[in-house]
Amino acid sequence: MARPVSPAKAMAAVAAAVLVLLLAASSVVLGAHDYGDALHKSILFFEGQRSGRLPPNQRLRWRQDSAIHDGAEAGVDLTGGYYDAGDNVKFGFPMAFTATLMSWGLIDFGHTFGAHEVEARDAVRWATDYLLKATSTPGTVYVQVGDASRDHACWERPEDMDTPRTVYSVDASRPGSDVAAETAAALAAGSVVFRDSDPGYSARLLDRAAEVFAFADAHRGAYSGSLRDAVCPCYCDYSGYQDELLWGAAWLHRASRRREYREYIKRNEVALGASDAVNEFGWDNKHAGINVLISKEVLMGKDEYFQSFRQNADNFICSLLPGISGGHPQIQYSPGGLLFKVGNSNMQHVTSLSFLLLAYSNYLSHAGARVSCGGAASASASPVQLRRVAKRQVDYILGDNPLRMSYMVGYGPRYPLRIHHRASSLPSVSAHPARIGCKAGAAYYASPAPNPNLLVGAVVGGPSNSTDAFPDARAVFQQSEPTTYINAPLLGLLAYFSAHPDLVAAAQQHGGD
């Protein structure tokens, strides 16, 4: 007579079996992808988002100079930087997060960027140069240029825009710890990127990061409380400013190795909620990223105190692996295999969470460790398994999906043609030199014709429901609008898989875990 199996062991066995099936399905190759080409195009997208005077080596030639007087009304130079999405406003919060994630990709996987490393650093520098300008006045951080409501009422090229370029800032009387601490994180991460190639610039970024973080910590408060009418509903901080303070401290510690930031994290771990909402990671909520970033210290044997961060990171990773721990109710997978969270612009979750999967797998590999998803040994996952899940998401974006459609503009034979993007959807200045006014652009917005300008490398919001459906319609901005923070974490992913195209398949073939 067989010995009865305990319910816990039975559940663990079923969970392990489901994960094996999921990962086996994830590794089926529907099409061989040129990850290096996708990386090149993903970086090129940032040139299409540039604001200010464009350099002579600008490759997307249909874009021209724009917003060349930004900051004038405040008596400061705020030219440059990136438009965050398909509009013409410069939002500092997502721009800083974009810079942080581009930098993280270069820091962890820079050796895999190959010939694209220099252009990736240039993309980071376009953001950090702007963030230096935005923090040039002590005690003030300029966090937005442009009136969002007026801008969104128009459909016009950035080269033509005549909506108010209102300047918004946070200071001691109008705190914005979230946006200021994210800016500090971006500057600190950028300092690591340029440490070897431009030591002077790197030192300048790190010094400024320390100053801005001190300001963010001393004058606590959410910027959407101070500037609600200007920044909401576009980029309200729904998660609070506490996560950004820990995130900023973590990046300053990573960049400087100063004990004060380690002690800050230890002192504020509970007060600032390090274990809160770890299932989220994006421009608003940094909790999962904090725990993955700090876990490297533990896995490398540098700081045992931070074991709780490693446990949080393990729990987060487990929530992304359906079948191994039951998953998280807020994280699902579509029938076609796309990681899916309820809300708009789902690809921002896909790329950010996939990047954390890859980064954590890298830390685990170097430590010879696995992810623990409970007491049973079978309820765990190897670094290779994490990479398989991340690669499956990247491959879905590039065309391995039910529609056989790439969600990156210009990559593959089929991709979105009617993206929600003003500059891309309106004729270029060279093709139509006469000004196109605020309301005159409406005809182009409503047209069923493909966009005349190819915003190469742009990754759109993608399927926003669990059926893998995509309308390719300009008006459905939740699905058709690209953003800088969708592409930013994708750089590191594409670089890694371009350097290791057969890694996952080979590991499975040889039974490697």
Side-chain angles (χ1 to χ4, degrees), residues 180-257:
E182 180 61 71
T183 300
L187 294 167
S191 75
V192 181
V193 169
F194 293 101
R195 183 170 291 161
D196 295 331
S197 61
D198 193 339
Y201 185 68
S202 172
R204 185 182 173 204
L205 291 174
L206 184 56
D207 288 345
R208 184 65 59 80
E211 294 171 8
V212 175
F213 180 77
F215 161 76
D217 189 42
H219 306 287
R220 294 189 178 188
Y223 92 132
S224 50
S226 301
L227 300 171
R228 174 163 295 276
D229 291 343
V231 304
C232 294
C234 298
Y235 290 106
C236 285
D237 182 3
Y238 297 103
S239 70
Y241 63 83
Q242 292 86 348
D243 54 324
E244 277 80 25
L245 287 175
L246 277 176
W247 177 243
W251 273 110
L252 275 159
H253 183 251
R254 171 67 181 80
S256 70
R257 310 308 300 175

Side-chain angles (χ1 to χ4, degrees), residues 17-43:
V18 172
L19 180 63
V20 168
L21 290 173
L22 171 71
L23 295 175
S26 296
S27 64
V28 174
V29 179
L30 299 180
H33 292 296
D34 187 340
Y35 299 106
D37 179 55
L39 172 62
H40 165 70
K41 288 173 177 173
S42 193
I43 297 170

Side-chain angles (χ1 to χ4, degrees), residues 204-393:
R204 185 182 173 204
L205 291 174
L206 184 56
D207 288 345
R208 184 65 59 80
E211 294 171 8
V212 175
F213 180 77
F215 161 76
D217 189 42
H219 306 287
R220 294 189 178 188
Y223 92 132
S224 50
S226 301
L227 300 171
R228 174 163 295 276
D229 291 343
V231 304
C232 294
C234 298
Y235 290 106
C236 285
D237 182 3
Y238 297 103
S239 70
Y241 63 83
Q242 292 86 348
D243 54 324
E244 277 80 25
L245 287 175
L246 277 176
W247 177 243
W251 273 110
L252 275 159
H253 183 251
R254 171 67 181 80
S256 70
R257 310 308 300 175
R258 294 175 190 163
R259 187 177 182 84
E260 64 184 281
Y261 297 114
R262 176 183 178 276
E263 295 304 314
Y264 181 95
I265 296 168
K266 289 176 60 177
R267 190 169 61 250
N268 289 283
E269 176 185 356
V270 175
L272 296 180
S275 62
D276 294 349
V278 180
N279 61 298
E280 289 276 356
F281 184 57
W283 60 263
D284 178 30
N285 191 320
K286 312 305 186 317
H287 285 293
I290 293 164
N291 285 283
V292 168
L293 181 64
I294 295 177
S295 291
K296 183 180 181 182
E297 301 289 312
V298 181
L299 290 164
M300 296 298 102
K302 294 181 179 179
D303 203 322
E304 287 298 312
Y305 173 83
F306 291 134
Q307 280 289 351
S308 59
F309 289 87
R310 196 250 165 117
Q311 183 61 56
N312 290 339
D314 274 7
N315 292 340
F316 157 73
I317 293 297
C318 292
S319 77
L320 299 181
L321 304 177
I324 200 165
S325 65
H328 192 282
Q330 293 184 34
I331 298 173
Q332 309 161 34
Y333 283 84
S334 73
L338 182 68
L339 189 152
F340 171 71
K341 287 175 66 68
V342 175
N344 298 333
S345 190
N346 184 58
M347 285 304 184
Q348 67 178 307
H349 306 302
V350 175
T351 58
S352 293
L353 297 179
S354 295
F355 178 82
L356 291 188
L357 279 167
L358 183 63
Y360 202 54
S361 76
N362 191 37
Y363 305 155
L364 291 167
S365 290
H366 284 95
R370 295 172 66 92
V371 176
S372 174
C373 297
S378 58
S380 67
S382 71
V384 169
Q385 289 173 311
L386 269 56
R387 287 195 285 270
R388 287 181 197 160
V389 177
K391 184 175 181 292
R392 175 69 186 97
Q393 297 307 301

